Amino acid sequence: MRFRIHKSIPLVHDLLIIVLAIYLGSFMYSRYSSYFELGDITDDLMVGYFLIVATSLLAMSELDLYKYQVILTKLRHAIALQKALFLSLVALVFFSFMFKTVDVSSSRVLLGLIYVNLSILFLITRVTIIPALFFKLVNDKIINRNLLIVGSGRLSSDHAEELIENRNSYFNIVGIADDEESDLNDHVNGIPVLGNVSNLHQMVEMYNVNDILVASDTRCDDRLHEIIDKCKASNKTIHIVSELYNIATEKIQIEEIGKVSAFRYVPPQVGHKIVYPFIKRVVDISLSLIILIGLLPVWILIGTLIKLTSKGPVFYKPVAIGQGGRPFIMYKFRSMRVNVSTNLHKEKVRKMIKQNDATKKIVNDPRITPLGRFLRKCSIDEFPQLINVLNGEMSLVGPRPCLPYEYEVMKEWQKQRCDIKPGMTGIWQIRGRDEVLFNQQVVLDLYYKEHCSVWMDLQILFSTIPVVIFGRGGA
């Protein structure tokens, strides 16, 4: 039986529980209300029921409730379930309001009964029964994943030992691929050394590898990403453990392989490629229009103050690098005096990228106007980028847009952050801002690139609000 059983069983279970909760909630409501009969199901009510099923399953998928790391951790499992049900409820009310599907959402009692039943049934069955069933399937070797470890040092050896000792792990270690031209023994901790990473493709095919764990001790970032790119070419799930990627484990709750925290790369799936970009674009346009129109008097006031306090235009329009390395005109409120040299900033940024320094702002920058200092402190100068969002050149959430002179000195692996649209805010802005090194910024951007979802975007957007209000990391 294939590995997918550990996802199909919870999915079938969830579908049955949701249908049962809808029936029980409707039955209870029919006893409570003299205007509702259990058999009186209108077309609009059926649409409402369908939305409950669809939004619940989508929310659970978004919150990783089909990943074994979540399933096996009771507290994390229970919290994620409640978040998913809340997200489903919000989505249901939104769809009901937008498309006038009101039969379910208009009755608070019916809706409350359905979601209370959902919460209770899920806590009873999903948090207790599903993990027990999963443990049995793992112990009986019905759920099994062939794992290849890439690395030749202490890191790969230690993690191999931890996986072997972890009784709950469904990974079967098929061997180790040497990441250097070193003379390894035939076996490490009883695990066969299959050869050099240059022969990775043959190893994956020969041993039917499902997952690859990159546990490399190399301190050369270029070499590490050369190995990672080779692993990506295999189109398998990759788990990365290295000093460079430790920033992800410090700043984000990330995946575990066994009991080892790891940066996870999953080959993109067709459904995610289509559904997520569509939802993201709808959210981008909707929120951008709301903010631009709703706060129009504020933008007019800021524009007037800029004109009154310093000479020059209201907007600063530099060329920035967008998705795929394509340039575009980026809009910002002007915070600097006109006709001032940018050489100081260019030199500082180039040095920061080349030497992997933190992104510290220039202290007491003489180019910035007094009003501009306030605008930058609260990131208000960046709000005109909403125009770029509406134009499709940027997104609300994504990697920070870089300038051409920054892009020129980046290494190829660092340029991967430009594979997706740049954003007005992102993970490193809320998890460190000017406290992280440049390479760590890139790793956090790459994490977002590989794991972006509707739920992650919403979390980042809400987390950005206090950062803007209190001006943390602004200049």
Side-chain angles (χ1 to χ4, degrees):
M1 194 173 295
R2 291 179 61 83
F3 159 76
R4 292 292 177 184
I5 189 174
H6 95 281
K7 291 188 177 181
S8 60
I9 288 178
L11 182 60
V12 172
H13 162 273
D14 294 343
L15 183 59
L16 293 175
I17 290 297
I18 294 169
V19 172
L20 178 60
I22 290 173
Y23 175 79
L24 289 175
S26 302
F27 176 77
M28 293 175 178
Y29 186 61
S30 69
R31 296 286 179 170
Y32 164 83
S33 173
S34 58
Y35 301 101
F36 180 82
E37 293 290 337
L38 192 59
D40 297 338
I41 300 178
T42 64
D43 290 341
D44 283 349
L45 190 60
M46 284 300 297
V47 172
Y49 287 158
F50 171 78
L51 284 174
I52 292 175
V53 175
T55 56
S56 296
L57 293 178
L58 284 172
M60 293 171 79
S61 178
E62 282 289 318
L63 289 169
D64 299 332
L65 280 160
Y66 296 102
K67 294 181 179 178
Y68 86 98
Q69 295 92 343
V70 177
I71 291 174
L72 298 184
T73 309
K74 285 189 176 181
L75 180 60
R76 184 178 172 188
H77 196 169
I79 293 173
L81 272 172
Q82 300 311 309
K83 286 182 178 179
L85 293 179
F86 174 75
L87 190 60
S88 167
L89 180 59
V90 171
L92 176 67
V93 173
F94 172 78
F95 279 114
S96 298
F97 175 77
M98 291 296 293
F99 302 105
K100 310 303 179 186
T101 308
V102 297
D103 275 32
V104 174
S105 62
S106 62
S107 173
R108 297 178 183 177
V109 176
L110 174 58
L111 204 58
L113 287 171
I114 291 174
Y115 275 89
V116 166
N117 277 301
L118 272 174
S119 181
I120 294 172
L121 290 171
F122 272 138
L123 288 174
I124 292 173
T125 61
R126 213 181 194 279
V127 181
T128 55
I129 297 174
I130 294 296
L133 178 60
F134 185 86
F135 283 134
K136 178 172 175 53
L137 293 172
V138 170
N139 291 331
D140 292 345
K141 303 299 181 183
I142 295 174
I143 296 179
N144 198 351
R145 297 279 282 183
N146 287 337
L147 176 72
L148 175 67
I149 297 179
V150 176
S152 58
R154 180 68 180 271
L155 197 61
S156 61
S157 176
D158 289 348
H159 289 325
E161 188 174 349
E162 289 174 0
L163 287 171
I164 291 171
E165 293 176 353
N166 184 2
R167 294 177 58 190
N168 298 329
S169 173
Y170 57 32
F171 289 107
N172 170 45
I173 303 175
V174 298
I176 293 176
D178 187 358
D179 64 335
E180 302 290 348
E181 295 295 337
S182 56
D183 295 325
L184 285 181
N185 296 325
D186 292 340
H187 290 76
V188 175
N189 289 342
I191 302 170
V193 177
L194 305 179
N196 190 268
V197 71
S198 58
N199 299 317
L200 183 81
H201 180 72
Q202 292 90 325
M203 296 179 200
V204 169
E205 293 294 325
M206 184 178 298
Y207 295 94
N208 193 25
V209 171
N210 305 110
D211 292 63
I212 300 172
L213 170 61
V214 178
S216 177
D217 289 301
T218 181
R219 293 184 176 275
C220 176
D221 296 341
D222 291 341
R223 173 58 180 163
L224 175 62
H225 286 92
E226 182 184 326
I227 294 169
I228 292 172
D229 288 341
K230 189 178 288 291
C231 293
K232 283 184 178 180
S234 69
N235 205 35
K236 302 297 180 183
T237 299
I238 305 166
H239 312 267
I240 305 168
V241 181
S242 77
E243 185 177 343
L244 174 62
Y245 281 78
N246 281 346
I247 184 66
T249 65
E250 294 169 6
K251 299 290 184 180
I252 311 166
Q253 185 180 49
I254 66 170
E255 287 290 338
E256 293 181 351
I257 175 168
K259 294 183 178 180
V260 180
S261 295
F263 185 109
R264 189 165 179 254
Y265 170 82
V266 180
Q269 300 183 9
V270 176
H272 185 75
K273 284 183 177 180
I274 298 173
V275 176
Y276 169 67
F278 173 76
I279 297 176
K280 185 179 181 72
R281 186 65 183 142
V282 170
V283 172
D284 279 348
I285 294 173
S286 303
L287 289 183
S288 296
L289 288 174
I290 290 171
I291 297 171
L292 282 173
I293 297 172
L295 297 179
L296 185 59
V298 177
W299 310 139
I300 294 174
L301 175 62
I302 292 172
T304 304
L305 290 174
I306 291 173
K307 293 294 289 184
L308 291 174
T309 55
S310 62
K311 294 180 180 180
V314 171
F315 295 110
Y316 172 57
K317 297 184 284 187
V319 174
I321 300 299
Q323 186 175 16
R326 293 185 293 272
F328 69 97
I329 301 298
M330 182 171 65
Y331 294 90
K332 300 179 74 173
F333 281 126
R334 182 175 58 83
S335 59
M336 295 189 296
R337 295 177 174 85
V338 295
N339 300 324
V340 293
S341 174
T342 59
N343 290 335
L344 179 64
H345 182 261
K346 285 182 180 180
E347 188 60 34
K348 179 181 180 298
V349 170
R350 286 172 178 269
K351 181 180 177 183
M352 179 265 295
I353 294 173
K354 290 179 179 179
Q355 298 184 2
N356 186 31
D357 292 331
T359 55
K360 295 289 184 182
K361 305 290 184 179
I362 299 175
V363 180
N364 298 322
D365 191 338
R367 301 172 303 161
I368 302 176
T369 65
L371 176 62
R373 203 172 303 281
F374 168 75
L375 296 178
R376 286 192 171 199
K377 183 66 177 176
C378 297
S379 300
I380 297 173
D381 63 317
E382 297 180 3
F383 274 94
Q385 291 171 15
L386 291 168
I387 298 171
N388 295 116
V389 175
L390 288 176
N391 289 340
E393 298 155 334
M394 292 180 62
S395 178
L396 291 175
V397 181
R400 183 186 69 85
C402 64
L403 301 178
Y405 55 83
E406 297 174 322
Y407 189 77
E408 289 171 3
V409 295
M410 287 183 189
K411 297 176 180 177
E412 288 304 313
W413 74 269
Q414 295 167 336
K415 290 180 180 180
Q416 291 179 21
R417 70 203 298 239
C418 297
D419 288 348
I420 59 175
K421 286 182 185 179
M424 293 181 63
T425 185
I427 291 180
W428 76 264
Q429 287 95 325
I430 64 170
R431 292 285 189 263
R433 210 161 184 180
D434 60 354
E435 301 168 3
V436 298
L437 302 178
F438 179 74
N439 283 349
Q440 294 175 331
Q441 283 181 36
V442 176
V443 168
L444 291 175
D445 284 338
L446 293 181
Y447 181 88
Y448 174 79
K449 170 177 167 280
E450 304 297 349
H451 297 83
C452 53
S453 66
V454 175
W455 179 249
M456 180 180 287
D457 286 350
L458 292 176
Q459 286 181 305
I460 292 173
L461 287 172
F462 281 116
S463 299
T464 301
I465 296 172
V467 173
V468 171
I469 292 174
F470 297 108
R472 294 200 299 271

